[in-house]
Amino acid sequence: MDKEALLDDLMSNKGTSSLLSGQLAIKVVIDNQYIPPLITGAEEDIGTSFTSLGHVVDSVLSNQIKTIALVGSAGSGKTTALEKFTVDWAKGDHCQKFSHVFLYDLKDLSCDGQYSLKTLIQQNRHPFDPESMALVLQRPENVMFVFDTLDLYKHPLDCSVHTLCSDPSMPITISTLVASLLHGSLLKGATFLVATRPTDSLKFLEGFKLELLGFSKPQREAYFGKFFPDPHVANIAWQNMERTLGFYDFGSSPRFCWTVCSVYKNQLDAGERLPETITEICVNAMAQIVASLALDEVRAREVVLALGRLAAHCCIDPQSTCCKDRIATLGLKRLLNAPVLVHSLLRVDGDMESDQCILSFHSQLMQELLLAVSFLLDKTIAKDATELLNTHEGHVRYLHLYLAGLLNPSQRRPLESLLGAFNDEQLTDFKCWLEASSQKTVEGYHKEKHLTVFRLLHQSQNNVLVKEVITPSARIGISYGGLGLVDCVALNYVVKCLGGMECLNLYLANNLTEEGTDALIPAMGLSQKITLSNSSLSAASVAHIAKALREGITEELDLSNTQLGDANLKVLCSGLRACKLHTLNILASGLTEACCGDLSLALTSSTSQLSVLDLMFNKLGDQGLVQLCQALENPFCKLQELKLRSCQVTAQSMEALSTALCCGQSQLRILDLTGNTIGDIGAEHLCQALQHPHCNLQRLTLFDTELTGRCCPRLAQALRSDHCSLVELDLSVNELGPEGALQLCKALRKPGCPLEKLSLTRCELTQVVFTEFGLLLTSGGSQLKSLSLALNDVGDEGMKSLWKAIADPCCLLEELSIEMTQLTDGSAGDLCASLRASRSLKSLDLSNNMLSDASITALVQVVQDSPFLQEVNLKYNDFSEDVFEIMDQCGKINY
């Protein structure tokens, strides 16, 4: 085929652009406004670099692949991509191995009668000389057919329902002709490029599938740059689009971008602000269409109400179409007498004068807007909001959003100026429904339902309504992890309207994108606590979190189990240096010693407020701790609590830690070194610090740190020191043995020893030690209020001295844990007597022992009668189900 003739034919297309149906495809190409949409289907997103369809086709076609299906949603740019492809081929830009390219719209190939392939080709382009026809038939491998709108093709492609033809001169039905081409019976070896919306017909095509995703953010920016000649105006318009609409799935549609740009241009030319919501953009688009009809208010109202009835029908009909007979039944016949109106709002398939004419809406967005507007506009309607929503449940996506948006007078004003005031009764009815249903929803725990409410409130743009719905009883502290961008925008709006949030819970936010985090910056900045534990965060997302910390009021941030890594923590530290954050939890976040320098810099910033730092389960090592110790010696460091559980710290760094604790600048009060290889030598360094007058440590946890009884003399010496301020000490899961524990007991006897809580769980203690603790508790000098001697096998005999101590009026003990100490029913008498006499004990842990049903009646009675005892843990003893009812009578007992 002559390429110039093809170009002339394409360029002579007499169609027109419209606000909703999009810019005429060939005009986009001619005016050099074409932006290649994003295409997937190969190994990567080919369109990310604005690669044209022609280049994609060139890379995909091979001897094995002869058919390419280009699949995309409505308005994704399929038709424009095909016409651009054809024009580029005709200009010699790509796919030059093809001597002929034929472009057909399949929806136009639904006519009756019979055609041969030759006739079809001759009707496609006039004239088509015999030499070219012979070349097409002789060398089909050099021929490409480009078929558009397969989804609108009315005939089946299933080869089993056709008698396929191989003779290009034989007249056959259009359906058999197209099926014969696509199944390779006719013109075998030819190549096919077929564009369609998702359709069942695709299963009959063998070949390669490309998915047309429309515009990504960079492509939208480029599109706006071509639409608006002034770069400054283009940037303002694009930024507004991204902020208010870019997060919707339809924001990727080139057709929708055309509509948005057209509405924006009208608003900017009129000196008005740009729309903030999807309701506002669509209302303005509808207002432009109605205004262009130059109708009076009464007639314009009639037209919109008629379109609303059509929209109601199409929303329920799965095909979203309406034939001419249905239009007459609905009383909409006058619509057909206004072709400008019809073509502006509707897609017409077939001849307007034909009974086979089918009307459907260009856009589901506009279809549902008309449904919402007609409901709120009609003063004769009998339906209430509940009935309307129930009728269309499962068939609509945007109706609720539009109804919420139209509650705002400023958002419905453009239409009211043309159609008259909306029905106050209908507005009030929907507002009552929205308030009642939303309040009930947010008092529950269903995340998705919460997010639906937030989207409706965002669409309403009504601060007062947000505060009426989100009352103190609303459970908005539940986890909102897994937010899409739309939800991020809506949640951010709600938090801003509320003026703040106690806890922004984004637990398990595995798909939180850079754009989503950016949208949440104001909400994060207004939240006292942010929870992002078990989330997956990119460097860009972390940068936005750091910005929120710098600009906001957040005091607590939980990033535990995020695999944050050293590089991302470095980014976060830029926000830690100047913010109000008091508590940072980065437990199990994939950190190493490489991050400690950045943390140290953040901690020593004069504007840092960080006082609690949880670094547990990170591989910091000794070198990492040494760097943190340098921060502790800085007068600007406000750290009071440091958790270093299982951080691969050893005795080698304990000297540096001891020095930091004694320097006179350290404010550290709480230190957890659980699960590290501290050993006796490391403990000795810590004991030196505990005796120093400048050491402020009050709580020290050395759980499972490979200590032995050899460290106990030093610990005892520290506890006896006049400068020791230690109130809590946990030495559990260490091999202290009886001798070591006895030395600690002697130290605790010293008057003035400040220790109030001691844990010696699983320290290989014996009856002698328990006896000594009994004497200690009754000595009158001990300040112990909490004691754990669990997992030490002393049995009933070993506990006797403790039972006597608990009954003694000199005993101050409030909490006692003797879990798994081999207690039996033989101790029940002494146990009940001591509990009956005790005036201090509030909590007792007897779990994992061998008490049985025989003890339970007396034990429940004494617990129930005690005015001091608040809880008793009896889990995992040898009780049968027969005594569960007895234990249930006492609310203080857990079993």
Side-chain angles (χ1 to χ4, degrees):
M1 178 182 292
D2 181 75
K3 293 181 177 180
E4 291 185 5
L6 174 58
L7 280 174
D8 290 343
D9 193 75
L10 286 170
M11 302 299 186
S12 64
N13 192 321
K14 298 299 190 295
T16 57
S17 304
S18 71
L19 184 63
L20 299 181
S21 63
Q23 193 175 14
L24 188 66
I26 194 62
K27 181 171 173 56
V28 175
V29 177
I30 295 171
D31 293 347
N32 194 32
Q33 290 187 322
Y34 183 71
I35 303 293
L38 190 66
I39 301 174
T40 64
E43 293 182 357
E44 57 184 11
D45 290 352
I46 304 168
T48 302
S49 57
F50 303 100
T51 304
S52 70
L53 177 60
H55 289 102
V56 178
V57 170
D58 265 335
S59 67
V60 168
L61 287 178
S62 66
N63 291 332
Q64 289 75 34
I65 298 175
K66 292 294 183 182
T67 301
I68 299 176
L70 184 64
V71 184
S73 59
S76 60
K78 299 181 296 295
T79 297
T80 307
L82 292 188
E83 296 204 11
K84 172 66 173 169
F85 171 85
T86 308
V87 168
D88 287 350
W89 170 82
K91 290 181 176 180
D93 291 342
H94 56 69
C95 293
Q96 294 306 292
K97 71 176 182 179
F98 297 110
S99 59
H100 296 83
V101 172
F102 301 98
L103 175 62
Y104 293 92
D105 192 335
L106 284 175
K107 76 172 182 293
D108 296 335
L109 295 182
S110 301
C111 48
D112 297 325
Q114 294 191 333
Y115 296 81
S116 69
L117 175 60
K118 289 182 177 180
T119 305
L120 185 69
I121 291 175
Q122 288 167 343
Q123 288 189 351
N124 180 264
R125 293 288 182 269
H126 292 291
F128 197 67
D129 59 80
E131 292 81 4
S132 296
M133 182 67 75
L135 189 61
V136 167
L137 300 179
Q138 292 168 6
R139 296 190 174 179
E141 68 275 5
N142 294 333
V143 177
M144 173 181 274
F145 286 87
V146 180
F147 289 147
D148 196 10
T149 63
L150 174 65
D151 53 293
L152 298 178
Y153 183 58
K154 304 302 181 184
H155 301 298
L157 292 183
D158 185 356
C159 61
S160 67
V161 301
H162 296 284
T163 302
L164 300 181
C165 172
S166 59
D167 184 353
S169 301
M170 179 185 291
I172 51 179
T173 62
I174 283 292
S175 62
T176 302
L177 177 57
V178 173
S180 297
L181 281 169
L182 289 172
H183 287 290
S185 175
L186 189 59
L187 209 63
K188 184 176 178 62
T191 298
F192 299 92
L193 177 59
V194 183
T196 180
R197 296 183 191 181
T199 172
D200 287 341
S201 296
L202 282 168
K203 65 186 177 183
F204 300 111
L205 295 181
E206 292 184 2
F208 195 87
K209 178 182 174 182
L210 291 172
E211 188 174 359
L212 199 65
L213 302 179
F215 286 167
S216 62
K217 186 174 180 179
Q219 289 159 308
R220 286 194 293 269
E221 182 179 15
Y223 183 87
F224 274 67
K226 285 182 177 290
F227 188 96
F228 294 98
D230 185 338
H232 177 67
V233 173
N235 187 60
I236 290 175
W238 172 69
Q239 292 279 6
N240 193 79
M241 162 80 177
E242 293 303 317
R243 184 176 59 82
T244 61
L245 301 169
F247 41 80
Y248 290 107
D249 53 3
F250 50 75
S252 64
S253 164
R255 179 195 296 172
F256 182 70
C257 289
W258 156 260
T259 301
V260 170
C261 286
S262 301
V263 171
Y264 280 6
K265 184 177 185 303
N266 189 64
Q267 298 291 103
L268 292 168
D269 290 346
E272 299 178 3
R273 68 170 181 84
L274 296 179
E276 287 290 316
T277 65
I278 186 59
T279 300
E280 203 168 4
I281 191 75
C282 290
V283 163
N284 277 280
M286 178 61 69
Q288 285 183 221
I289 293 171
V290 173
S292 69
L293 301 175
L295 301 174
D296 62 40
E297 182 179 297
V298 174
R299 176 69 181 127
R301 194 181 187 97
E302 289 177 356
V303 167
V304 170
L305 289 173
L307 288 167
R309 291 192 292 274
L310 177 61
H313 164 76
C314 289
C315 281
I316 295 176
D317 186 335
Q319 300 301 318
S320 294
T321 60
C322 194
C323 65
K324 196 170 182 179
D325 290 342
R326 173 65 67 178
I327 289 176
T329 303
L330 294 173
L332 308 174
K333 203 166 184 179
R334 293 177 66 182
L335 278 179
L336 299 181
N337 299 323
V340 175
L341 173 64
V342 171
H343 285 287
S344 296
L345 287 168
L346 304 173
R347 183 172 66 193
V348 182
D349 295 325
D351 186 354
M352 285 282 291
E353 303 302 322
S354 167
D355 290 337
Q356 302 301 316
C357 173
I358 299 291
L359 299 183
S360 59
F361 285 88
H362 285 302
S363 161
Q364 184 182 0
L365 283 168
M366 203 55 66
Q367 175 179 299
E368 294 187 27
L369 175 69
L370 283 163
L371 177 59
V373 168
S374 63
F375 170 75
L376 296 175
L377 194 62
D378 194 346
K379 290 183 167 60
T380 64
I381 197 166
K383 280 185 178 179
D384 61 15
T386 302
E387 187 178 354
L388 173 74
L389 297 172
N390 288 341
T391 299
H392 293 283
E393 185 177 1
H395 300 291
V396 293
R397 289 185 62 190
Y398 311 108
L399 179 60
H400 297 73
L401 295 177
Y402 286 140
L403 291 170
L406 290 168
L407 288 177
N408 190 319
S410 66
Q411 295 198 124
R412 65 177 185 263
R413 188 170 296 123
L415 282 176
E416 284 190 320
S417 66
L418 297 167
L419 307 174
F422 282 23
N423 186 346
D424 284 337
E425 290 184 8
Q426 298 292 80
L427 289 167
T428 301
D429 176 61
F430 179 73
K431 186 174 185 289
C432 291
W433 176 89
L434 179 60
E435 286 185 2
S437 63
S438 297
Q439 285 175 356
K440 183 178 179 180
T441 296
V442 296
E443 287 174 0
Y445 294 97
H446 197 290
K447 179 190 79 172
E448 293 302 326
K449 291 182 178 180
H450 277 224
L451 298 178
T452 297
V453 170
F454 296 162
R455 289 193 287 269
L456 292 174
L457 293 174
H458 169 249
Q459 203 65 211
S460 74
Q461 294 291 292
N462 186 329
N463 292 15
V464 174
L465 181 61
V466 173
K467 293 175 181 177
E468 289 174 347
V469 168
I470 311 297
T471 62
S473 60
R475 294 185 171 92
I476 58 172
I478 66 170
S479 171
Y480 295 126
L483 297 180
L485 186 52
V486 177
D487 300 317
C488 290
V489 171
L491 176 58
N492 181 69
Y493 174 77
V494 168
V495 174
K496 286 174 65 179
C497 289
L498 295 174
M501 202 166 183
E502 183 176 336
C503 177
L504 181 61
N505 189 346
L506 301 176
Y507 168 78
L508 211 61
N510 288 329
N511 61 341
L512 188 59
T513 62
E514 175 188 354
E515 292 80 5
T517 318
D518 187 25
L520 284 170
I521 286 177
M524 289 190 289
L526 288 168
S527 301
Q528 294 288 335
K529 178 180 178 180
I530 302 170
T531 296
L532 278 162
S533 56
N534 293 84
S535 298
S536 178
L537 303 173
S538 66
S541 295
V542 174
H544 292 316
I545 295 170
K547 181 180 180 183
L549 294 176
R550 285 194 299 271
E551 298 176 354
I553 63 170
T554 305
E555 295 184 351
E556 184 172 350
L557 175 62
D558 184 355
L559 292 173
S560 58
N561 293 293
T562 57
Q563 292 305 306
L564 189 67
D566 298 331
N568 284 345
L569 182 62
K570 184 181 185 71
V571 175
L572 182 68
C573 284
S574 66
L576 298 180
R577 296 189 189 106
C579 67
K580 297 179 175 62
L581 200 69
H582 289 169
T583 302
L584 175 61
N585 183 351
I586 39 181
L587 173 153
S589 293
L591 305 178
T592 71
E593 67 178 67
C595 77
C596 293
D598 296 307
L599 273 174
S600 183
L601 287 174
L603 289 168
T604 55
S605 168
S606 61
T607 50
S608 171
Q609 302 297 316
L610 204 59
S611 58
V612 178
L613 180 58
D614 188 343
L615 290 165
M616 294 195 294
F617 301 105
N618 289 292
K619 298 177 181 179
L620 306 183
D622 291 317
Q623 292 305 311
L625 178 54
V626 167
Q627 292 182 71
L628 292 176
C629 289
Q630 292 171 359
L632 293 175
E633 297 180 36
N634 190 292
F636 290 123
C637 179
K638 300 178 178 64
L639 203 61
Q640 295 186 18
E641 182 173 351
L642 180 60
K643 298 180 181 179
L644 295 171
R645 180 173 185 173
S646 298
C647 286
Q648 299 186 359
V649 171
T650 73
Q652 293 181 19
S653 55
M654 291 302 102
E655 184 175 0
L657 179 56
S658 177
T659 300
L661 293 172
C662 302
C663 71
Q665 303 294 342
S666 172
Q667 299 182 34
L668 202 65
R669 302 289 192 275
I670 301 171
L671 177 62
D672 184 353
L673 292 170
T674 296
N676 291 291
T677 313
I678 304 302
D680 297 333
I681 295 176
E684 183 173 345
H685 289 297
L686 291 174
C687 290
Q688 290 173 1
L690 292 175
Q691 299 174 68
H692 198 282
H694 290 155
C695 179
N696 297 306
L697 212 57
Q698 296 177 352
R699 188 188 307 170
L700 177 60
T701 302
L702 294 173
F703 184 106
D704 188 19
T705 51
E706 299 192 10
L707 305 182
T708 72
R710 288 192 292 274
C711 74
C712 291
R714 292 288 189 180
L715 278 170
Q717 182 180 350
L719 291 173
R720 285 193 295 265
S721 169
D722 292 338
H723 301 300
C724 180
S725 56
L726 209 58
V727 176
E728 297 184 18
L729 177 61
D730 188 347
L731 298 171
S732 299
V733 193
N734 287 293
E735 299 178 1
L736 303 185
E739 292 183 4
L742 289 173
Q743 293 186 65
L744 295 176
C745 285
K746 291 177 183 178
L748 294 176
R749 282 177 174 273
K750 182 195 174 186
C753 179
L755 202 67
E756 296 180 357
K757 184 174 183 179
L758 176 63
S759 181
L760 295 174
T761 297
R762 213 190 80 183
C763 284
E764 301 183 2
L765 308 184
T766 63
Q767 180 179 338
V768 174
V769 176
F770 276 62
T771 301
E772 187 64 27
F773 269 108
L775 296 173
L776 169 68
L777 293 172
T778 57
S779 65
S782 170
Q783 300 298 312
L784 277 182
K785 295 180 180 179
S786 176
L787 178 63
S788 174
L789 298 174
L791 279 75
N792 291 288
D793 299 340
V794 295
D796 297 335
E797 282 298 316
M799 285 302 303
K800 284 187 176 182
S801 60
L802 275 182
W803 299 142
K804 292 179 182 178
I806 290 171
D808 194 292
C810 293
C811 180
L812 303 177
L813 206 61
E814 297 178 358
E815 298 175 1
L816 175 62
S817 174
I818 46 174
E819 175 188 2
M820 204 178 292
T821 51
Q822 303 298 311
L823 291 183
T824 70
D825 294 330
S827 66
D830 293 336
L831 167 61
C832 290
S834 67
L835 295 181
R836 193 175 294 112
S838 174
R839 295 294 180 268
S840 62
L841 198 65
K842 297 178 181 178
S843 174
L844 176 62
D845 185 356
L846 295 168
S847 60
N848 280 295
N849 280 292
M850 294 180 287
L851 299 173
S852 70
D853 295 358
S855 305
I856 204 62
T857 301
L859 187 55
V860 168
Q861 186 64 54
V862 75
V863 172
Q864 186 81 332
D865 292 345
S866 172
F868 305 102
L869 207 55
Q870 297 176 2
E871 60 177 348
V872 176
N873 186 353
L874 291 174
K875 289 182 179 180
Y876 312 118
N877 276 274
D878 294 336
F879 302 127
S880 70
E881 293 184 5
D882 297 339
V883 298
F884 285 0
E885 187 174 342
I886 298 175
M887 289 189 284
D888 284 337
Q889 296 173 6
C890 181
K892 302 176 185 180
I893 293 179
N894 297 317
Y895 67 92

